[in-house]
Amino acid sequence: MADEALFEYLHSELVAYAFKDCEKDKQASDLSTLEYIGFSSGYRIIERLTKEWPRFKDELDTMKFICTDFWSSINKKQIDNLRTNHQGVYVLQDNAFRFLTRLSTGRQYLELAPRYVAFTCGLIRGALSNLGINSMVTAEVQSMPACKFHIQVQRT
Amino acid sequence: MAVCVAIIGKDNSPKYISCLNPELELQFHYKVHTSLDVVEEKLTSVGKTTADVRELYLGLLYSTEEHKIFGYVTNTKIKFIIVVESSNTLLRDNEVRTMFRKLHGLYTDVVCNPFYIPGDVITSKNFDTTVRNMMTGNA
């Protein structure tokens, strides 16, 4: 239990650090720093997680891995719902997203939610990128602590 | 045990090549790179027949009079190549497999180093010495 708290505190400090300057200078908030930290973490983590794993069959197989094993090793639970249009758009729904459960259960602090999901967006993007899938990951929070991650796979 | 170990990146650029005899290094560069075609072939044929074992270890890629070349590809499309002398009959398939597994472990440690930029050539001294020990059979 203790190690989970460590990660949660570190993450909230990371968010606080990334927005320190914004608040001082009254600039519009910038999520790209957090997203990038997430990206490089995800890129490295996946190398270790897939070590004992058989080769993935296709894109859907990879997404399933993200929803189950990847998610549970980071958030201690699996994704609650995975949807896809089979054309490169995936929606991952987590009904109790780790970094939001402590904040509120409703619409309070909703305007701060993007800060707490940016890191995870990057994490997913980094993981997929190392597995050979270029994507764009965005998050949508309508009511805390539920969160939806939209993954748009970029095909060239 | 092995005479040459190579790590090839996603885009088929060499990340790390090390061999016991430095004079033959160029020859090994050629050998490793010609074997990449076989790796590619094996990977695409696996896609067609889904019943096939989707193991990371690809087994013997090809053998010449002097050398046998083994391959291994990770989920992140990093290729590991090990070259063994054909005269070395002591080294069985299982031993090669464990060597690859060890190599994969070492590689993930390198990638998890925050100062290493993924895609760069591997310059870690610690990694180099461990691989060299592995080749001579001391590890």
Side-chain angles (χ1 to χ4, degrees):
Chain A
M1 286 305 272
D3 53 336
E4 281 176 48
L6 284 181
F7 177 41
E8 268 168 44
Y9 284 132
L10 179 64
H11 177 262
S12 57
E13 283 304 316
L14 215 59
V15 173
Y17 171 77
F19 289 98
K20 198 176 59 189
D21 295 336
C22 296
E23 255 147 44
K24 220 188 290 161
D25 309 343
K26 300 264 186 294
Q27 322 167 321
S29 53
D30 180 19
L31 297 169
S32 61
T33 331
L34 273 179
E35 211 264 359
Y36 181 69
I37 298 171
F39 178 83
S40 45
S41 317
Y43 198 94
R44 287 160 208 268
I45 288 170
I46 208 74
E47 195 71 55
R48 185 156 282 175
L49 285 184
T50 57
K51 214 166 85 180
E52 305 292 318
W53 209 257
R55 212 180 304 288
F56 295 118
K57 270 203 295 282
D58 50 18
E59 207 175 272
L60 190 63
D61 208 32
T62 317
M63 287 300 170
K64 281 182 192 157
F65 171 80
I66 295 286
C67 292
T68 55
D69 280 74
F70 180 73
W71 211 259
S72 47
S73 65
I74 287 159
N75 297 320
K76 307 285 172 240
K77 75 187 279 285
Q78 294 189 0
I79 278 283
D80 293 300
N81 193 350
L82 165 68
R83 284 188 212 196
T84 173
N85 66 352
H86 296 287
Q87 278 160 21
V89 179
Y90 297 83
V91 179
L92 279 60
Q93 191 181 336
D94 192 333
N95 292 331
F97 182 56
R98 185 180 190 170
F99 299 132
L100 298 179
T101 45
R102 307 267 190 268
L103 290 183
S104 86
T105 50
R107 307 182 65 86
Q108 199 188 3
Y109 302 126
L110 203 59
E111 71 279 5
L112 293 176
R115 299 180 176 192
Y116 290 89
V117 293
F119 174 81
T120 311
C121 285
L123 207 63
I124 301 173
R125 193 168 68 89
L128 289 174
S129 154
N130 202 1
L131 291 170
I133 300 174
N134 284 323
S135 60
M136 220 171 73
V137 182
T138 50
E140 178 192 345
V141 183
Q142 276 171 346
S143 168
M144 289 204 225
C147 180
K148 275 184 191 163
F149 294 93
H150 296 261
I151 301 172
Q152 175 115 39
V153 177
Q154 253 134 25
R155 296 207 175 86
T156 44
Chain B
M1 300 219 293
V3 285
C4 177
V5 168
I7 298 180
I8 312 292
K10 286 177 198 293
D11 44 1
N12 286 349
S13 58
K15 282 198 195 308
Y16 175 87
I17 289 193
S18 156
C19 30
L20 283 187
N21 184 354
E23 278 166 29
L24 294 175
E25 190 163 305
L26 189 65
Q27 188 205 335
F28 281 124
H29 269 270
Y30 278 123
K31 278 195 193 281
V32 165
H33 277 85
T34 41
S35 67
L36 286 180
D37 275 342
V38 190
V39 171
E40 207 81 14
E41 207 168 84
K42 289 216 178 200
L43 283 184
T44 46
S45 70
V46 164
K48 277 170 211 150
T49 53
T50 40
D52 221 327
V53 267
R54 292 177 288 132
E55 212 191 343
L56 301 180
Y57 175 59
L58 297 176
L60 184 69
L61 297 176
Y62 75 95
S63 59
T64 59
E65 272 175 39
E66 313 113 54
H67 295 113
K68 277 195 255 182
I69 300 177
F70 295 90
Y72 182 103
V73 179
T74 71
N75 268 310
T76 52
K77 301 285 171 291
I78 307 292
K79 292 123 191 144
F80 299 135
I81 310 278
I82 288 181
V83 184
V84 176
E85 271 177 335
S86 291
S87 54
N88 187 346
T89 47
L90 278 168
L91 207 65
R92 275 193 306 270
D93 208 49
N94 242 340
E95 271 102 69
V96 178
R97 204 184 289 252
T98 39
M99 273 175 85
F100 273 123
R101 204 158 291 153
K102 213 181 276 173
L103 196 61
H104 194 173
L106 288 173
Y107 176 76
T108 50
D109 288 346
V110 169
V111 173
C112 289
N113 175 359
F115 295 109
Y116 171 75
I117 299 159
D120 274 9
V121 169
I122 297 171
T123 48
S124 160
K125 279 203 183 102
N126 196 357
F127 177 81
D128 189 57
T129 35
T130 329
V131 171
R132 278 182 180 277
N133 284 339
M134 210 167 80
M135 279 198 286
T136 47
N138 291 331

